[in-house]
Structures are given as C-alpha cells and as structure tokens.
Amino acid sequence: MVVNKKAQRLSALARGVFVALLMFATLFPFYWTLLISLKNQNDAFQVPPDLIFVPTMENYQELFVNGDFGRFFLNSFIVCFFSIVLALAVGIPSAYIFARCEFKFKKAFFYILLVTRMSPGAVFVIPYFIAYMKLGLLDTYLGLTLIYFATNLGIIVWSLRAFMEDIPITLEEAARIDGCSLLQTMFHITIPLAAPGIASTAILSFIFSWNEFLFALLLTRNKVQTAPIGILNFIVFEKMNWGVIAAGSIVIALPVIIFGIAIRKYYVKGLTQGGLAGD
Amino acid sequence: MGTPAFFHRPGANGRRGTRSVTLQMERQRLQVAFLLPLFLALLVLVLVPMLSLFGLSFTNYKLNSSQIRFTGLQNYLDLFRDKDFLNAAGNTVFMVFWSVLLQMVLGVAAALAIQRMRRLRGIVQALIVLPMVIPPVVAGLIWRILLIPRYGGIHALLSGLGITDAPAWLTDPVSARWVLVLVSVWEWLPFVVLFILAALDSLPISPFEAARIDGANFLQELFHLTLPLIRPVLSMVLVFRIVEGLKIFPLVFSLTQGGPGRNTEELTYFAYSEGFTKFRVGYASASSMLMFAVLLVLIVLFYGRKPKEKRRVKHQ
C-alpha cells in the first residue's frame, strides 16, 4: 500500500509537470508577442532579452495612427456582423424546419451544408473571383459579406437544428393548443428557448469569419481589406517593424480570444452535435 | 412534391379532421417559405460556384486573356506530370500527416492528464483554447516573431538551455517544414484536447472500477477500455483534423510563403500561385478539384458508414 501511494504521488507529479509544460508552450508565444509589442525597437532585440523595460505604447500608436489599422478592424467587424445577421435570418427558420419536420431531400440539403462547411476555401475562391470581377463585386462589402454568409450557413443550420431538437416538443404543442400558429410558436417558444444556442453559434461563426484569410486576401484590395490581411501590409510595404506587427497581432487576436474563452464549453457541443448527430 | 409534412412524433398527423388539414397546409406553406431562402442561397452561392469550378477545370481559361477553350482532361493529365504540383501534394501529405498524428497522440495524453487534475482544471481549460481561436495568419506572425534568428523568443529559450546551434528555422529547407508542422500542432492541439476531454468526462465510471478491481494497470486500462470507448469521438476528431489540416494556407502564407524554394508549398498555395500570380485559372481549378475530391472521399468514408456503426453499438 505504501508503494502504491508513492507511485500515485509520482504519477500525479509527472502529470502536473506535463500539463505545466503544455501550458507553457501554449502561452509563451502570446507572452513574448505581448512583450515585443510593448517594447521600442531597441529594447525588442536585446540579447539576452531584458525582462525589465519601460513599456511603451508607440507600436500601438504607429499601428493605428500611421498604419490606419482602425479601418481594417472596422471592415472586419462590418463584414462579420452583416454576414452573421444574414446567416441567422436564413438559418434560424430553416433550422427550425430541419428540427421539426420531415421533407423530401432533407438528407441532400444536409450533405450540401456539410460539404459547404468543410470545403477548403480554394474550392470557392476561383469561381467567386471570376464572378465578382464580372459583377464588379471585388473589394466591396457586399461581396465579402455574401461569401462569409454562404460559408457560415453550414455551421449555423447544423448546430441550431441540434439545439432546437433538444427543446421538448410538448412545449410547442401546448402553445398550439392555446391557439398559436406555427409561426407564433416558433417566435414565442422555440427561438427564446434556443437563444443561448443561437448566441453561441453566432459567436462561433463570428470567430470563423473574423479569422478567415483566403477570401479576404483575394476578394478585397484596399477598401474592404479586413484586419488579418491589413496586418500583412506592415510586412510587405514597410521595413520589418516587428513591434508593430506584434501589436497588430495582439489587437486582432483580442476580440476572438475573449469570445473563444466565453464559449469554450459550447465549442465542443456545437461542433459535435453537428458532426456526430448528422444522420 | 406534395408529400405531406409531419412532425417527427407519430400520430401528430391526421388528428381532428378539418383542423388538421388546415394545419398541414399551414405547415407545408411555412416549410416552403422557410426553406426557400436557404435553398436559393445554397444554389447560387454554393452549388453554382462548385459546378463552375468543375467546368473551369476542363478549360484553358486564363485571367489575362479573353479566350477560353474546352480542353477536356488536359489539365488533369498535366497536373500529374507537373513536378510542382506533385511536390505540393507531397508537402501537403507530409504536413497533414505529421501534424494530425502529433495532435492526436499529444491530445489524448494531454486530455488524460488534464482530466485527472484536481485543481486549476478550469483555468487550464480556459487558457488552452487561445491558439485555436486566433486567426491562423496571426498564429503564423506570432511564431515568425518567436523564430527570428538570434533575437527571437525561441532562441532566448534555447540558449537558456545551453543550445546555441539551432538551425535558421524558416530558411532551412528541412526545418521550415517541421516548423509548419509544429506550429499547426500548437494551433490545433487544443481542439483535440477539448473534444477528448469532453468524451472522457462523459464515460461511465463502472467499467473503470471493475478494471481496477481486476488489477488492470494504466496502459491496459487505456488500450482496452478508454480508447475503445471514445473511438467514435477519436474518429470524428481525426476526420475533422485531416479536413481542416488541408486549410494550412494562411500559416504557410505568413510563415514561409512556400519557401525556401518550394519546400513548404502546399496544395492551396499551388492553386493560389497558379491561379492568381500566373493567371492560369483553368489549371488552378483542376488542382482545387482534386483537393475537393479528397475531401469528398473523406466525408463519404466517415459519414457514409455512420449508420452501420450506430447499429452495431446498439446491438452490443
């Protein structure tokens, strides 16, 4: 028994060390980037690195004042916001029908949504580029919003269906007996009860759109450039100013880090429901 | 057409005569009204582009010329003789294989360790999501800053450990590929950990108690009990990671731009440079179609055999 206890304590220690190393590897890059973003050019590349330095905001200033980064940031917000509102407007009613009704081609619909969700951007970007070139939609808010809307539909319908299926149908039936129409039932019973699911799904889609790279790179030029593309300007056109790039990285990552931590419990649920429950 | 729509519940249809007839009509009208926007969106924004890509892949269409000619399978035949394409395909397989393998092995180990934690588990689970929620291009930039030779954070760490002869990470052909593998492991390990943790948490306790009474050691328990029990989640995560692994483009773009030489050029990068720097859109379309075909095969393999597996589990 004594040996057993010792072995247990030892394996607990090994586990602790392993998790500590894992967390260090996970977080050190963020810590380092934050440090670089707060150092001026001279302090940033000291060998060995100074642990004590006077933090400066000049990189952030440079980013927003001379780099005009606020504009890219705003573009990202505009495109993400409108594409998600649109995807919810189309997705919530369809998810309701998927959850509550049987109809022809239901499976086909579902597979198309699944493929939409999983396809690499390379599948869409060429046809979209050509179509947008002909329609004059390159570098427009409408153009980028439309493709984000399309790629968000998959995840939104898939996981909202799962959330709505979890709502007991008896509640809806009770409302129907009280004389509500189907439409009223959906608006007064199903949507309010599915609200937490809708909110987390919307946030998840926001993260995906915010992080999107390929479409934003090829379907925008200057006017509608989003933050993940805008930051590349500091690499290509100016002298490598790593402090500013670090500051930009922190600024772009911040909103999605907050959202990501907020919905971390949902992340698995939202994706699993869609992935495993698909018949 | 005209199939009546029913709720899932048996007996929801056909009650109470006329009222139910109007109800059914109401339901049908609602269905059409609710599904039509989705149908149109998928048709115009998903199916038409996919079919156009398919069509374009049989042409010699170029962005900088107005001529377009049907060339049959020529693009596909050329691709298989194109050294750059084969190189990109090989690099993609290399990076996806190693990255996913490491993610799965480390992910299981980490999830097992985190699940047994008594303290701090909440904080670990909250902070571990960081790498996977940030934009991949930012992940690439962060690591580029870390890997700056002589001044970067990795150099500082390694020299702290007494290692000073590290390779020039991003300009050495061998290490550049491994950097991409490791950065994508850093980025996506949390995903695997979260899913496996959730699966572990939902396992029943009694088989494990029985195993312990029978004197099973840790490895026996792991390979004969834990892993078989979480197999459905493992295979789902595996498919997910492979499919998502094909989207390594932003990382490549921000870290190596396909270099040095073409050592880290993968399939999307190949399509990008063929289509958008050499303007050979037809050719790029064919390469994207091949990538799409791989994805479809994966989806069919995974979702196609799903019902059978479900049945088997039920019968046991």
Side-chain angles (χ1 to χ4, degrees):
Chain A
M1 276 321 262
V2 180
V3 179
N4 210 341
K5 268 231 167 93
K6 223 178 200 174
Q8 256 177 25
R9 213 172 291 157
L10 213 66
S11 80
L13 186 71
R15 279 201 308 270
V17 171
F18 177 57
V19 174
L21 280 176
L22 190 77
M23 290 319 285
F24 178 76
T26 303
L27 299 177
F28 176 73
F30 290 99
Y31 168 73
W32 183 265
T33 309
L34 188 64
L35 280 193
I36 294 286
S37 80
L38 294 172
K39 288 179 175 180
N40 62 36
Q41 281 283 59
N42 294 330
D43 288 342
F45 299 113
Q46 291 285 329
V47 186
D50 292 324
L51 291 180
I52 299 156
F53 60 94
V54 187
T56 161
M57 293 307 278
E58 65 187 44
N59 290 321
Y60 290 88
Q61 241 165 32
E62 169 76 22
L63 187 73
F64 282 100
V65 178
N66 294 333
D68 203 10
F69 201 68
R71 194 167 55 89
F72 304 128
F73 210 70
L74 190 66
N75 284 343
S76 274
F77 263 112
I78 292 172
V79 173
C80 290
F81 178 78
F82 283 106
S83 67
I84 288 163
V85 168
L86 203 57
L88 286 175
V90 173
I92 292 175
S94 341
Y96 179 70
I97 300 293
F98 272 109
R100 292 293 185 233
C101 303
E102 286 304 325
F103 53 91
K104 264 190 173 181
F105 308 121
K106 187 174 176 177
K107 244 188 176 157
F109 251 117
F110 243 72
Y111 273 100
I112 294 171
L113 284 168
L114 178 73
V115 171
T116 313
R117 198 179 99 191
M118 292 187 136
S119 294
V123 170
F124 293 108
V125 78
I126 292 172
Y128 267 87
F129 184 86
I130 296 169
Y132 280 10
M133 202 170 60
K134 303 225 152 117
L135 298 170
L137 283 175
L138 284 178
D139 204 21
T140 60
Y141 288 104
L142 179 64
L144 204 57
T145 304
L146 271 181
I147 191 162
Y148 285 179
F149 157 68
T151 45
N152 274 329
L153 273 178
I155 179 92
I156 284 187
V157 178
W158 266 71
S159 45
L160 285 191
R161 176 197 91 143
F163 273 111
M164 290 180 175
E165 271 177 354
D166 283 350
I167 297 168
I169 201 168
T170 44
L171 288 174
E172 286 178 27
E173 283 174 344
R176 300 290 296 283
I177 288 166
D178 290 346
C180 284
S181 72
L182 262 179
L183 207 61
Q184 284 170 324
T185 317
M186 189 187 87
F187 275 112
H188 295 306
I189 308 289
T190 319
I191 291 182
L193 285 173
I198 294 173
S200 353
T201 309
I203 291 177
L204 194 61
S205 311
F206 181 91
I207 295 177
F208 288 160
S209 308
W210 184 266
N211 293 354
E212 202 286 324
F213 183 71
L214 187 65
F215 300 142
L217 177 72
L218 292 171
L219 301 179
T220 68
R221 285 280 172 280
N222 196 351
K223 202 181 93 209
V224 191
Q225 237 170 33
T226 58
I229 310 300
I231 192 175
L232 295 176
N233 293 339
F234 295 95
I235 293 182
V236 184
F237 297 119
E238 284 167 44
K239 207 178 77 193
M240 286 297 193
N241 190 343
W242 291 113
V244 178
I245 294 169
S249 297
I250 299 285
V251 169
I252 301 175
L254 211 56
V256 275
I257 284 177
I258 293 167
F259 279 151
I261 291 181
I263 61 154
R264 69 188 180 280
K265 294 209 171 96
Y266 160 79
Y267 203 94
V268 172
K269 206 177 159 211
L271 288 178
T272 317
Q273 279 176 333
L276 278 180
D279 4 282
Chain B
M1 289 295 130
T3 326
F6 305 130
F7 275 16
H8 277 310
R9 267 173 68 118
N13 55 315
R15 338 168 260 207
R16 267 177 286 158
T18 38
R19 173 129 196 259
S20 105
V21 171
T22 45
L23 249 179
Q24 261 176 40
M25 278 172 57
E26 188 198 350
R27 211 172 282 155
Q28 252 176 320
R29 250 183 290 140
L30 202 70
Q31 256 183 45
V32 173
F34 277 13
L35 287 176
L36 197 64
L38 180 72
F39 174 74
L40 289 177
L42 289 178
L43 183 73
V44 176
L45 298 174
V46 175
L47 288 179
V48 169
M50 278 177 178
L51 289 174
S52 335
L53 185 80
F54 187 63
L56 279 169
S57 75
F58 297 106
T59 69
N60 67 347
Y61 186 62
K62 285 198 171 85
L63 274 187
N64 52 355
S65 103
S66 55
Q67 286 197 327
I68 178 166
R69 196 162 45 81
F70 180 75
T71 54
L73 286 172
Q74 196 56 48
N75 285 333
Y76 291 94
L77 295 174
D78 288 347
L79 276 176
F80 283 106
R81 266 176 275 151
D82 185 338
K83 266 195 216 126
D84 293 342
F85 174 74
L86 297 175
N87 167 62
N91 288 340
T92 309
V93 171
F94 175 89
M95 290 193 274
V96 172
F97 176 81
W98 285 109
S99 160
V100 173
L101 182 71
L102 288 171
Q103 283 169 41
M104 295 302 288
V105 174
L106 280 173
V108 170
L112 285 168
I114 293 171
Q115 203 218 4
R116 284 169 170 74
M117 283 175 75
R118 257 172 259 143
R119 273 169 298 165
L120 300 174
R121 191 184 149 167
I123 263 191
V124 165
Q125 243 174 300
L127 289 179
I128 206 170
V129 301
L130 257 58
M132 76 175 191
V133 296
I134 62 169
V137 64
V138 168
L141 292 175
I142 285 179
W143 277 92
R144 229 171 127 174
I145 293 170
L146 275 161
L147 291 169
I148 295 171
R150 300 220 319 275
Y151 303 108
I154 294 299
H155 180 86
L157 277 182
L158 288 179
S159 52
L161 295 170
I163 304 166
T164 46
D165 55 348
W169 302 110
L170 296 170
T171 44
D172 177 89
V174 179
S175 73
R177 303 169 95 199
W178 282 104
V179 164
L180 278 168
V181 169
L182 292 178
V183 173
S184 76
V185 171
W186 176 80
E187 202 187 350
W188 293 113
L189 182 67
F191 182 95
V192 180
V193 172
L194 282 191
F195 274 77
I196 295 180
L197 258 179
L200 290 176
D201 283 341
S202 67
L203 289 180
I205 300 171
S206 50
F208 291 89
E209 282 171 345
R212 228 154 276 164
I213 289 167
D214 291 344
N217 65 30
F218 171 73
L219 285 180
Q220 284 170 327
E221 192 183 296
L222 178 66
F223 285 104
H224 295 294
L225 205 54
T226 315
L227 291 183
L229 280 173
I230 61 170
R231 226 197 74 178
V233 175
L234 282 177
S235 64
M236 185 199 70
V237 172
L238 182 69
V239 171
F240 233 97
R241 289 318 328 148
I242 296 174
V243 169
E244 297 280 310
L246 293 172
K247 304 176 186 169
I248 199 173
F249 178 74
L251 219 51
V252 174
F253 195 92
S254 55
L255 271 170
T256 63
Q257 306 244 290
R262 291 178 180 275
N263 277 286
T264 56
E265 200 175 282
E266 41 72 64
L267 285 173
T268 306
Y269 204 94
F270 175 82
Y272 162 78
S273 62
E274 286 296 326
F276 294 95
T277 61
K278 298 180 199 158
F279 305 130
R280 300 170 66 191
V281 170
Y283 197 53
S285 302
S287 82
S288 293
M289 271 316 290
L290 287 176
M291 203 169 157
F292 189 46
V294 172
L295 172 94
L296 287 182
V297 168
L298 280 170
I299 288 183
V300 169
L301 276 179
F302 181 66
Y303 289 92
R305 72 179 162 80
K306 206 76 223 161
K308 249 187 243 156
E309 209 170 63
K310 261 187 206 155
R311 227 173 291 138
R312 201 174 349 132
V313 171
K314 257 183 204 160
H315 280 306
Q316 269 172 355

